Amino acid sequence: MMSILGAGFILTLQVFVVTLIGSLPLGIVIALARMSKFKPLSLIAQVYISFMRGTPLMLQLMALMFGPYYLFGISMGSDWKFWACDIGFILNYAAYFAEIYRSGIQSIPVGQYEAAEVLGYTKSQTFFRIVLPQVIKRILPAMGNEIITLVKDTSLAFVLGIAEMFTEAKALAASQVSMLPYVIAAGMYWVFNLAVEFILNKIEKKMSYYHD
């Protein structure tokens, strides 16, 4: 049982890591587009965020999985489910992270931008050297909540037939007519979340050099 759940956990971890690697930087890009003074770009970003946050992640995953075939008659192959899963999670979580980034960026006093300009910083230098470190410090609690939610949302990969931990637990529970696989899976999710919380707390303490 543990070996099967362990194999499922590896896929759960893979979805989690790939989603963070893709959605964290994409969220910054979307946040900057959302705040752009170029109205069409800002509107596109607003619509994107509204759609991704306003529709179920499960529905988005299924649309990516089956859309190419039903809309365009394109058969994507057996490996497409993994790509659809990763792309779906990244696009969905990038929208949530974008709004968190935006709130953090807008909380930075305008005076800091003006001071950086006086000192000769370019806009990119101001953002990455002065603004972003402060933004990260301020948004860590909100980001932590979303990241912990992501740990649990990885179970939605089951709708694409991906044998992550929840899928394996469900199959074991059905074959053994027992709740034990669910209990063990719940414990593994909890331990995973504890590890994530520990890492986030370490990062928050390391960045405590900055005080509002």
Side-chain angles (χ1 to χ4, degrees), residues 88-210:
F89 270 91
I90 289 171
L91 293 178
N92 180 273
Y93 269 83
Y96 286 93
F97 289 147
E99 284 297 272
I100 296 173
Y101 283 129
R102 184 174 68 88
S103 65
I105 292 170
Q106 291 179 335
S107 72
I108 304 299
V110 177
Q112 296 201 24
Y113 293 92
E114 296 171 346
E117 187 177 357
V118 170
L119 292 172
Y121 282 84
T122 64
K123 288 185 177 180
S124 61
Q125 288 174 329
T126 300
F127 180 76
F128 287 106
R129 296 185 182 181
I130 297 175
V131 175
L132 190 58
Q134 297 180 58
V135 168
I136 293 173
K137 170 68 169 62
R138 296 182 182 205
I139 66 175
L140 267 177
M143 293 291 281
N145 287 336
E146 287 300 326
I147 291 171
I148 287 172
T149 300
L150 171 59
V151 173
K152 296 176 287 185
D153 276 354
T154 56
S155 62
L156 292 176
F158 86 92
V159 300
L160 304 185
I162 295 175
E164 44 66 58
M165 187 163 59
F166 174 75
T167 303
E168 296 290 15
K170 184 171 64 171
L172 285 169
S175 63
Q176 298 180 6
V177 194
S178 169
M179 287 294 293
L180 183 58
Y182 285 129
V183 173
I184 295 174
M188 292 173 73
Y189 278 117
W190 182 39
V191 171
F192 190 7
N193 268 324
L194 287 177
V196 170
E197 288 179 21
F198 177 80
I199 293 170
L200 290 171
N201 287 335
K202 284 290 184 182
I203 295 173
E204 192 168 353
K205 287 179 182 178
K206 196 169 185 178
M207 298 189 70
S208 63
Y209 65 85
Y210 171 75

Side-chain angles (χ1 to χ4, degrees), residues 7-8 10-16 18-19 60-62 64-66 76-91 154 156-165 167-168:
I10 296 300
L11 283 176
T12 292
L13 184 61
Q14 178 183 322
V15 173
F16 175 80
V18 170
T19 300
Q60 295 167 23
L61 292 173
M62 295 180 71
L64 280 167
M65 177 68 181
F66 302 109
M76 302 299 291
S78 58
D79 288 339
W80 172 241
K81 63 183 179 182
F82 297 103
W83 286 98
C85 179
D86 291 339
I87 293 170
F89 270 91
I90 289 171
L91 293 178
T154 56
L156 292 176
F158 86 92
V159 300
L160 304 185
I162 295 175
E164 44 66 58
M165 187 163 59
T167 303
E168 296 290 15

